[in-house]
Amino acid sequence: MKLEAVDLREPALVCPSTVVDIRGPLLKIHFDGWEVTYDQYLDMDSLDLFPVGYCEITGHPLQPPGPRPDPYTQPGYQYGESHMKGLAGNNLTPAAPKMTKPLKTEQVNKPKPVKSPLHPESMYFVNRRCCCGPYLNDAKLLKIPETVKGVLGGSDKNNIVRKCLQLLVTSSENPKNVLDLLCHEFYQTKKHSDLDLAATVCIEIKTKNDKRIVRRVKIASKADTIRPNIERVLQLLGCCPNVFAKDKYPTEQCDACRVKQTSELNVNYTEFTQQPVSVPSNEPV
């Protein structure tokens, strides 16, 4: 059954439609040319249903079946065509685009200046098999990175002295005691006046109960006193000064530590061989 019905989604539109199903007093209206997903149910006494020819008699516009074609997706459509026709009807011509001045060859090929960093960067090799002294743990020391990179001064996070101190505290037998030792020792600025301890960094540790402890340690603020500051820390902990060094040793152990370790092994071997050996006697007691 054909009729003309109002689209409930767009109440201002009257569309040609077909009754495709009847369920009691409800009529299932299908809009001609549209998919079934747009079907609607209307009561048979609804004022939104009209007989065929209603729009022609009343002068109300009747929508054509199906969706309207999109002019922007039609083949052969050129953007701005209607606008150009309007200009032609008004005897107007579009303004010519403004020409920009070409850049000079010097401006095109001129490289951009590179900003130099505020603080120079540095790197230390970690010789993890050197003598670690009484405070550090050999096994923990072997797990730290092979290199330490940072800046000579600047922010607390990237400071190379802070990174070295953090590695030493983390790889120690008792991190809290070592951290307290560093805080107390380098708080005495007069004792270490040659280092110019004008900067501070934060060192963090975690206890067995996952409690976070943060302490501030004074460090050197000038680039030429960074290396003496690290050597002073290693001396305080009884470590070899080459634990953090500019040179990387093939076995991660400096020559002095290798000679010392070899001599200690020889001494222990000599003491072991010189001990009297008890031979069991076969004579009856």
Side-chain angles (χ1 to χ4, degrees):
M1 178 181 178
K2 296 290 185 179
L3 46 79
E4 297 174 2
V6 175
D7 186 358
L8 299 182
R9 298 181 181 181
E10 297 289 342
L13 303 180
V14 179
C15 308
S17 55
T18 305
V19 178
V20 295
D21 192 10
I22 300 175
R23 296 187 179 182
L26 297 179
L27 304 178
K28 185 177 182 180
I29 305 300
H30 172 72
F31 296 100
D32 296 345
W34 292 83
E35 298 179 359
V36 295
T37 55
Y38 294 97
D39 293 355
Q40 300 175 2
Y41 283 94
L42 295 176
D43 191 276
M44 63 176 58
D45 296 330
S46 175
L47 299 179
D48 295 326
L49 299 177
F50 308 101
V52 177
Y54 169 80
C55 290
E56 184 179 0
I57 296 173
T58 59
H60 192 282
L62 180 65
Q63 300 298 317
R68 294 182 179 180
D70 189 356
Y72 297 99
T73 60
Q74 297 300 312
Y77 177 80
Q78 296 181 358
Y79 178 76
E81 183 178 356
S82 59
H83 178 65
M84 297 300 295
K85 289 181 180 179
L87 293 177
N90 296 331
N91 296 325
L92 298 176
T93 56
K98 295 182 179 180
M99 300 297 294
T100 57
K101 294 182 179 180
L103 296 177
K104 296 181 180 180
T105 308
E106 298 178 355
Q107 296 178 352
V108 175
N109 300 330
K110 186 177 181 180
K112 295 182 179 180
V114 179
K115 295 183 179 180
S116 58
L118 184 61
H119 300 282
E121 295 184 354
S122 182
M123 183 183 71
Y124 286 113
F125 291 100
V126 184
N127 298 303
R128 298 174 293 184
R129 298 186 183 277
C130 282
C131 178
C132 60
Y135 292 96
L136 303 186
N137 184 289
D138 296 343
K140 292 182 179 180
L141 192 63
L142 291 174
K143 295 180 181 180
I144 66 177
E146 297 180 357
T147 58
V148 182
K149 297 181 181 180
V151 295
L152 302 177
S155 63
D156 189 5
K157 181 179 180 181
N158 297 323
N159 192 294
I160 192 169
V161 181
R162 188 203 72 83
K163 291 185 176 182
C164 292
L165 294 181
Q166 184 68 62
L167 291 176
L168 291 175
V169 172
T170 305
S171 58
S172 61
E173 294 283 357
N174 193 326
K176 187 176 183 303
N177 291 347
V178 172
L179 182 56
D180 292 339
L181 175 63
L182 295 177
C183 294
H184 180 268
E185 177 66 23
F186 292 100
Y187 182 76
Q188 308 174 40
T189 54
K190 292 184 179 180
K191 180 179 179 181
H192 305 282
S193 58
D194 57 323
L195 298 179
D196 189 17
L197 303 176
T200 57
V201 292
C202 291
I203 307 298
E204 177 183 346
I205 61 173
K206 284 187 177 181
T207 61
K208 295 181 179 179
N209 300 328
D210 290 338
K211 182 180 179 182
R212 181 169 172 263
I213 300 177
V214 180
R215 295 284 189 273
R216 283 192 169 272
V217 181
K218 289 191 174 184
I219 63 170
S221 59
K222 296 182 180 180
D224 55 347
T225 56
I226 294 294
R227 180 59 193 174
N229 189 183
I230 296 177
E231 292 180 352
R232 193 74 54 86
V233 172
L234 295 174
Q235 180 183 1
L236 176 66
L237 299 179
C239 303
C240 173
N242 292 320
V243 171
F244 296 109
K246 287 291 185 180
D247 301 325
K248 179 176 177 60
Y249 295 91
T251 59
E252 296 186 355
Q253 188 180 40
C254 66
D255 298 337
C257 291
R258 186 171 64 255
V259 172
K260 181 179 179 181
Q261 184 179 7
T262 305
S263 61
E264 290 178 355
L265 291 176
N266 292 335
V267 170
N268 294 336
Y269 178 75
T270 304
E271 293 178 353
F272 175 77
T273 55
Q274 290 180 355
Q275 291 180 358
V277 180
S278 58
V279 180
S281 177
N282 295 329
E283 298 180 359
V285 179

